[in-house]
Structures are given as structure tokens and as C-alpha cells.
Amino acid sequence: MCISSKDDTGFGVVSLDGLWDFAFLGDTDEQSALEHLPEQWRKTYVPSAFDASVETPGKRGMAMYRKTLIIPKGHPAELYFGALSIWSRVYLDGELLRENACGYEPLHIYVPEAKYERRELLVLVDNRFDFERVPMHEEHFDFYQYGGILREVKLRLLKAGDPWIKAIRVTPTDLYEAGKIHVDIDIAYTGTGQKLRWEYAFDNRASSALPEEAVEMDSTGAHMALLVPDPQTWSPDAPHLHQLDVLMRGENGKVVDRRSVRFGLRQVKAHGGKLWLNGEPLILKGVNRHEWHPNFGPCTPVAQMVSDVQLMKDMGCNFVRGSHYAQDQRFLDVCDELGMLVWEENLGWGQREFTLTCEKFINDHRQSLKAMVYESYNHPCVICWGFLNEAGSDAEYARPVFEDSVSVLRQIDPSRLITFASMYAFSDRYFDLVDFISINTYPGWYGCEDEPDPLSLIKPQIERISSSVDERGFAEKPLVISEIGVEGLYGWRDTHNDFFTEDFQARYLQAAIRSVLGNTRYSGIVLWHFSDVRTYGGGRSLMRPRAFNNKGVLDEYRRPKQAYETVKMCFSEGPIEPSRQ
Ligand code: ADA
């Protein structure tokens, strides 16, 4: 892969996606893997999961990826990996650049310049569970955890000795409708101390120079207030996007770096027990979605992402929870462009005391939480941040990591809402920390063995939850059912219409949607879940026919079950519109 340095501004960003050399090494360690490089390599596509491949389906072990890069002599660069799973190391020319232990964490890695242009990139990934090494990933998570280079890889050429723009964050202000935004530009200084000057342009219009007094410079970079010309707000029904181009010049006027970002003008709030989008009451009608497809594992092609969002909109959804990990940036681009609100959350599933009090977990969790927010910051579709799905939030041991997570989120991004999906509707200790309360509940599915009419349990439970939340002093916080659903096996129809039939699932979801959206205390319902996905194997899968989580409204190939039309009907009935308060 060659990057031209002919670009006078050295701003080349190239995709490294495509065929790489690959070798599955199996039960070995990184030391041995590097000492005995494979004699046999095969080609594999990046991004992909090696345990979703034709050659090594379901296999766990160490794997190695190799690619030769041509980087012009004397030029540093920045490598970007969307996700290396689940443990990884990145080497360039034999030098270790980064080790990581979270399979859903975007990585930005600085590549120093060299006196030669042919560079060898080696990536080691290991998908074996090992709590000491990867406490962020545990075998009991109810979704299959893959290994590989799961998301995009990019390389950005830099210029030796020059400061460069690491990131640009655009924050719509409360005057977003007038186009007022705040911009933070993270700069990698190179110690030259040269005074920097700024130009900017919106939506490919003419650029404007920023007077020095309009830019606040500090150790992290540059901060400025800008006004978007001809501002158009972003919403699911009118997903209008703007583009900001930033030009950084040195003292001699030479262009030192240039970056572009896309953003949206919208505002999301929570007050008076309601959610608000652009000043209007907001009711969430959505689904939970895993990034997964039987032919690609967790590496869903963008065309499938587009089709998934179109299916959601066809069902009447305005919202999707990206369960249970940081989302593929391309999926968020699709949601920005098609107009789908998103709950993005950090990797987490049912952690309890042993994990939540483990120092490496706490550090890896915080690092990956920050990486998710910085990477997704400019997507208007993301309206809230989540973390630690169904962790032990009914216990005191969870307080430090919950308080730290909320503090990190507030510090980086005060513009979005914060929540977490709790399984402790009646005993959660941390509802005070969040902007809106989210409850996972499965009345009429789990724990109703002796109940002759499981569906009759739904509405009373929904009412009990809201009463309990309000009695505990949280009536001012919006309330959402973040998970509810049952398994329906595609094609399984039976005269008994009992559990696992499509008919039972359809009737269940009808009762669930009407119980929640027919109750004005609720600000939304998020069905579990969009499409069937592979989950854990082995003995744990005894609760999961096919070793799949079959609660999808569609099956894994996106074939609609009977519930699809039911959901579409119920979502179009619309909720009881909350009165403007
Ligand atoms: C939990 C969990 C989901 C899934 C669901 C289920 O709420 O958050 O990931 O496991 O239960 O299907 O039981």
C-alpha cells in the first residue's frame, strides 16, 4: 500500500482494508509467535473475524496479520484500527507500538518516521478468554465474541516536525438552531513552538481566516466558537448534516495540516420526566442491535448496515441501542445519514464484584469508554452514552466504577445524556447518577414456569416498575424500557402457539409495546432485539436453541418473523403523546 507524499499538505489518509497475509497460530503465545514467524501465510480480508471464516470457524487462539506499507522516508504517520479483538499487539518493523485488551476499542497509533519507506506491519490478535489479560471480555456474555481485525484500518501520512491535528470535536450549543457551535481541536505539538493560524470553511463554501483573538490555544490544542451559515437542524425525519473543514497554517503561512469533520445541529435533553429532541418531546421506539451476520460474524458489510436501518425505519423505529459495545463508525455514519437515533454503550455484560473491583478491568474499562466517546463524538445520531449493561448496580461494590464512568462521560461530553441498562428496577443504587433511567425486564419469559398466562404478567410489571421508580424519588427522570422480548424461532408455528413460536413472540411484543407506550410515564421502549445472533457455545447454550439468541424480530438473515408486522402495527399506533410541560 503506497501513500503519495506529492500532496503538498501531506494529508493523505488511505484505507488499508483489503487482502492481508494471515496465519492462524492456535495455542501459542506472542513470544513464540514472533520467534517463529509462520512459513505458510494465506490471504484474508480485513476487516474480518478469523473465527467466522471458512478456514477456522469457531476456533480460538493466536492469529497473525501482515501487511507491507510504503510510507515515504522521513514521514511519520498515524495508524487507525476500528477494533482489534480481543487481545492484540501491533508491531511495525519489529517494534511493539501498542498492546490492547478490549475488542471494541478504536485505536489511534503514532508511527515514527523512518529512513526507509518499506515498512512491515504485523498485528497479533488472540480471541481466547483470559481474565488476567482481557478482563473486559468474559465467557458468560450472551453474544459470541470473535477474534480478528474486526473493523476498518486506515493510515494517515503526517509531516515530520510539524504539529498535526489529532481530532476535531464539534459541540452544538443551546443556540444550535442559529448554527452556533463550539469547536475543540486536539493538536499533536512537535515542540517547534511555531505560532499557528486558522482558517475554516463550512459545507464547501469559501474559507474564512480566524482572527487570533477568536482562538483560545492551550496545551491540548485550539478552541473556538463558530457560526454555521444556513444552519439546518438534524433529526430522524430530517437528517441534515454539515461539514467543517479546518486549515492549520504555520507562521510562514505554510499549510501545516487540514482535517474535515461532519456534524449535525441538534439538541437532546432530559427534564420534567421526559426526553426532548430539538425542543420537542421525544418517545423512543426502538430495537437493540448486535453487529452480526451469519456470513460475516461481527464484520457486517456497510450495505447490510444500511438495509438494517431501513428495516428499522420500516418497522417505525426512531431509535437503536448498539448493544453491548462501541459501534462501528460506519454504522453511525449510516444512522447519521438515514436518521436513526442511537444509544452507544461501552463493552459490558453482567459484570459482578470480582470484575468490577479488578484494577486492570477498571483501567481498561475507563480507557475504552473514553476511546468510544472521542471516536463517536461528532455523530448527531448518538444521543446518549451507556455502559456496563446489567452489571451489579444493586450492590455497593459497583459504586466506584459507576461513579467514575459517569464522571468520565460528563467531563468529555456534557452535551449528551447518560444512562445504563439496569436489571434491578426495584433495587438499583445508581439511578441518581443518570439523566434517564433504563430498565431491562422480561416478565412472562424468565421465571414464569408456573404461570398459566405469561402475557398477563407484562402490564402489571411495567406499572410496578414506574411506580417503584417514582416512589424512590426519581419521578423527574425519564424512564425507558431498554430491553424486553422473547424467543421466537423463525418458521416455528404450532397449534399450541406456546413459547418459542412466532405467534407467541408476536403476541408478547404487542402486549409489551402497548403496555409501555400506552403508559405516559414512559419515554420509550427498546425491544430485545432486532435480528437473531450467535451467542455462547457449549453448555451455556442449553438456554439458547441453536446456540443463538432467538429474540430477534427478524432472523439472522433478516427474514421477518410474524412479530415484524405486529411491531410495525404497534409502533405506528404511536404512543399517547406526552403533553408539553
Ligand atoms: C439481557 C442482556 C441481553 C440478552 C437478554 C436475553 O437483558 O442484556 O444481552 O442476554 O438478557 O436474551 O436474555
Side-chain angles (χ1 to χ4, degrees):
M1 176 58 66
C2 174
I3 303 174
S4 153
S5 66
K6 297 178 182 50
D7 177 338
D8 68 340
T9 54
F11 299 98
V13 177
V14 289
S15 169
L16 298 182
D17 292 358
L19 290 178
W20 290 40
D21 294 335
F22 173 79
F24 180 65
L25 310 175
D27 186 15
T28 184
D29 60 31
E30 52 277 16
Q31 190 69 32
S32 314
L34 292 171
E35 282 166 7
H36 312 289
L37 288 179
E39 287 162 14
Q40 295 292 322
W41 296 85
R42 65 177 172 84
K43 290 294 184 186
T44 197
Y45 185 77
V46 165
S48 69
F50 63 78
D51 41 352
S53 69
V54 170
E55 293 83 359
T56 48
K59 292 285 184 276
R60 292 204 177 271
M62 186 75 75
M64 187 180 278
Y65 295 77
R66 181 180 67 181
K67 192 164 192 66
T68 300
L69 308 179
I70 307 295
I71 302 178
K73 295 174 192 164
H75 276 267
E78 184 190 48
L79 260 175
Y80 165 79
F81 290 95
L84 296 176
S85 187
I86 57 178
W87 175 89
S88 63
R89 274 189 175 179
V90 176
Y91 296 85
L92 192 69
D93 305 327
E95 181 195 350
L96 175 59
L97 294 184
R98 176 74 68 84
E99 177 176 318
N100 200 57
C102 175
Y104 288 96
E105 179 181 344
L107 303 176
H108 291 267
I109 302 172
Y110 182 74
V111 174
E113 64 261 33
K115 294 185 175 61
Y116 45 89
E117 61 177 21
R118 205 170 177 78
R119 316 290 290 274
E120 183 177 80
L121 178 61
L122 270 187
V123 178
L124 277 180
V125 293
D126 187 342
N127 66 347
R128 287 172 289 185
F129 295 103
D130 174 345
F131 188 80
E132 298 305 316
R133 200 153 80 139
V134 280
M136 285 287 287
H137 291 260
E138 295 184 71
E139 283 190 87
H140 70 267
F141 294 1
D142 185 10
F143 55 94
Y144 199 92
Q145 298 168 74
Y146 287 85
I149 301 181
L150 302 188
R151 296 177 176 170
E152 288 182 293
V153 185
K154 297 178 191 171
L155 189 74
R156 183 166 186 247
L157 186 66
L158 303 171
K159 301 181 77 175
D162 278 343
W164 50 283
I165 297 174
K166 292 197 293 185
I168 299 174
R169 284 183 303 285
V170 175
T171 306
T173 67
D174 284 344
L175 299 174
Y176 66 97
E177 289 171 299
K180 288 207 168 182
I181 59 174
H182 182 80
V183 178
D184 295 298
I185 302 173
D186 293 348
I187 301 170
Y189 290 107
T190 51
T192 58
Q194 56 180 317
K195 190 175 281 300
L196 299 171
R197 290 186 296 155
W198 299 92
E199 283 176 45
Y200 67 93
F202 285 105
D203 305 329
N204 298 316
R205 295 164 181 259
S207 66
S208 308
L210 260 176
E212 193 174 332
E213 61 273 14
V215 183
E216 181 201 331
M217 296 296 293
D218 65 18
S219 60
T220 65
H223 312 275
M224 56 199 70
L226 297 179
L227 188 64
V228 182
D230 188 19
Q232 310 278 322
T233 54
W234 184 94
S235 71
D237 297 331
H240 191 92
L241 295 165
H242 285 285
Q243 176 174 310
L244 169 63
D245 298 324
V246 172
L247 207 63
M248 179 166 78
R249 291 182 184 278
E251 277 171 318
N252 58 8
K254 179 172 69 87
V255 176
V256 174
D257 201 358
R258 165 191 295 144
R259 294 288 303 256
S260 290
V261 290
R262 234 173 40 170
F263 64 95
L265 294 168
R266 62 107 185 87
Q267 179 194 65
V268 62
K269 297 281 184 189
H271 55 75
K274 304 269 178 246
L275 294 173
W276 303 80
L277 178 70
N278 299 339
E280 295 299 321
L282 173 66
I283 298 288
L284 303 177
K285 294 181 282 186
V287 288
N288 286 271
R289 176 180 181 270
H290 270 296
E291 194 63 74
W292 194 80
H293 186 280
N295 297 346
F296 306 98
C299 309
T300 317
V302 173
Q304 186 62 59
M305 296 175 179
V306 171
S307 171
D308 285 358
V309 173
Q310 288 167 334
L311 283 164
M312 290 174 203
K313 287 178 102 61
D314 180 61
M315 270 195 282
C317 298
N318 62 357
F319 184 73
V320 57
R321 176 182 176 215
S323 51
H324 295 291
Y325 31 76
Q327 297 297 287
D328 191 311
Q329 290 298 308
R330 297 166 298 176
F331 179 68
L332 299 180
D333 286 335
V334 170
C335 292
D336 283 341
E337 292 169 36
L338 297 187
M340 183 61 64
L341 300 168
V342 177
W343 160 334
E344 188 173 16
E345 64 182 21
N346 195 29
L347 174 63
W349 198 97
Q351 282 90 345
R352 292 294 180 272
E353 183 167 12
F354 180 79
T355 306
L356 297 183
T357 55
C358 159
E359 188 176 353
K360 178 167 172 46
F361 171 82
I362 291 168
N363 293 333
D364 288 357
H365 178 264
R366 182 187 302 116
Q367 175 182 299
S368 53
L369 185 69
K370 286 177 155 178
M372 172 185 79
V373 177
Y374 281 118
E375 202 64 36
S376 299
Y377 193 94
N378 293 322
H379 291 289
C381 65
V382 177
I383 59 169
C384 63
W385 303 115
F387 57 92
L388 290 172
N389 171 64
E390 294 199 343
S393 55
D394 64 334
E396 203 51 36
Y397 64 71
R399 183 172 300 281
V401 72
F402 270 73
E403 290 185 344
D404 179 57
S405 297
V406 171
S407 164
V408 161
L409 290 169
R410 293 257 187 256
Q411 187 267 322
I412 299 173
D413 180 9
S415 76
R416 286 184 173 88
L417 303 177
I418 295 172
T419 190
F420 62 86
S422 170
M423 61 185 287
Y424 299 108
F426 307 102
S427 58
D428 201 291
R429 291 174 178 239
Y430 309 112
F431 288 161
D432 59 310
L433 299 177
V434 298
D435 296 306
F436 67 93
I437 293 168
S438 301
I439 305 291
N440 294 352
T441 185
Y442 290 86
W445 178 255
Y446 294 122
C448 63
E449 286 76 2
D450 304 324
E451 172 52 53
D453 178 9
L455 301 190
S456 67
L457 301 177
I458 298 170
K459 190 169 185 198
Q461 174 74 347
I462 296 301
E463 290 167 347
R464 270 196 299 273
I465 289 172
S466 56
S467 304
S468 166
V469 163
D470 293 353
E471 282 153 19
R472 293 171 61 209
F474 302 112
E476 279 303 292
K477 290 184 189 282
L479 176 59
V480 169
I481 296 297
S482 40
E483 286 186 32
I484 190 165
V486 294
E487 305 231 359
L489 302 180
Y490 180 80
W492 175 231
R493 295 185 182 85
D494 176 50
T495 53
H496 290 210
N497 287 329
D498 204 336
F499 274 36
F500 291 107
T501 60
E502 287 195 33
D503 175 82
F504 180 80
Q505 183 192 32
R507 285 183 291 119
Y508 183 98
L509 291 179
Q510 177 170 300
I513 294 171
R514 287 179 173 167
S515 299
V516 175
L517 296 187
N519 182 328
T520 55
R521 176 64 180 93
Y522 284 92
S523 292
I525 182 170
V526 199
L527 306 179
W528 185 270
H529 55 143
F530 173 69
S531 60
D532 296 347
V533 297
R534 182 185 301 282
T535 182
Y536 25 59
R540 283 191 177 84
S541 65
L542 287 180
M543 274 179 56
R544 295 279 183 267
R546 314 187 297 154
F548 272 56
N549 188 313
N550 302 284
K551 298 187 182 72
V553 176
L554 302 98
D555 82 344
E556 59 272 23
Y557 290 100
R558 277 65 170 177
R559 296 177 297 187
K561 301 176 189 174
Q562 188 178 320
Y564 183 94
E565 290 303 325
T566 303
V567 170
K568 187 170 176 176
M569 172 190 69
C570 294
F571 275 176
S572 66
E573 285 168 349
I576 297 172
E577 283 307 325
S579 58
R580 283 182 59 87
Q581 287 160 0

